[in-house]
Amino acid sequence: MDPDPRVERLADVLTGRSPRRIPRTERHQEAAVVLVVRPRDDLEILLVQRTLREADPWSGHTALPGGRWHAGDEDLVATALRETEEEVGIPIAAVGCALGFLDDVEPAPPRLPPVVIAPMVAAGPPG
């Protein structure tokens, strides 16, 4: 199958820029999320609904697949790919490809320690 030109253009844009990185301190935890783009007649993105849990400040929210960095993760790309496969069963490395990163974000939820989130964009399998 020929690569989708819209996905190729997105990859070009992402690789042609340097995403803004938030400086980390020893207090920061790191996480990664993935904006999975699926080429169909219209480009689609994958969203998940988080499980309802009382202790989770994002419980029930619509979200991107992803989660916290683990010591076994080589880097935040590995975190993003692992979390996507765990949460939605899509092995991006096998059926798609990582396209690049967006700017870091640093939410400030009152009940959590400081966390920096690295949003990654990936192409999923065509529909």
Side-chain angles (χ1 to χ4, degrees), residues 11-103:
D12 289 345
V13 169
L14 291 169
T15 57
R17 65 183 293 275
S18 295
R20 183 179 61 87
R21 293 289 171 229
I22 294 172
R24 274 71 160 169
T25 69
E26 63 278 349
R27 292 186 55 227
H28 281 100
Q29 295 184 17
E30 291 185 290
V33 295
V34 183
L35 177 69
V36 180
V37 177
R38 179 166 73 168
R40 299 186 98 184
D41 289 341
D42 291 321
L43 289 179
E44 296 179 346
I45 60 168
L46 174 68
L47 300 172
V48 297
Q49 183 173 10
R50 294 182 54 90
T51 302
L52 293 172
R53 289 192 305 218
E54 190 172 321
D56 182 351
W58 294 290
S59 177
H61 289 195
T62 301
L64 299 171
R68 293 184 192 273
W69 177 85
H70 291 171
D73 294 339
E74 181 179 330
D75 54 23
L76 288 172
V77 172
T79 300
L81 298 177
R82 175 184 52 75
E83 288 282 347
T84 300
E85 187 164 4
E86 287 175 4
E87 291 182 10
V88 296
I90 300 174
I92 295 295
V95 300
C97 64
L99 302 176
F101 278 92
L102 300 173
D103 294 344

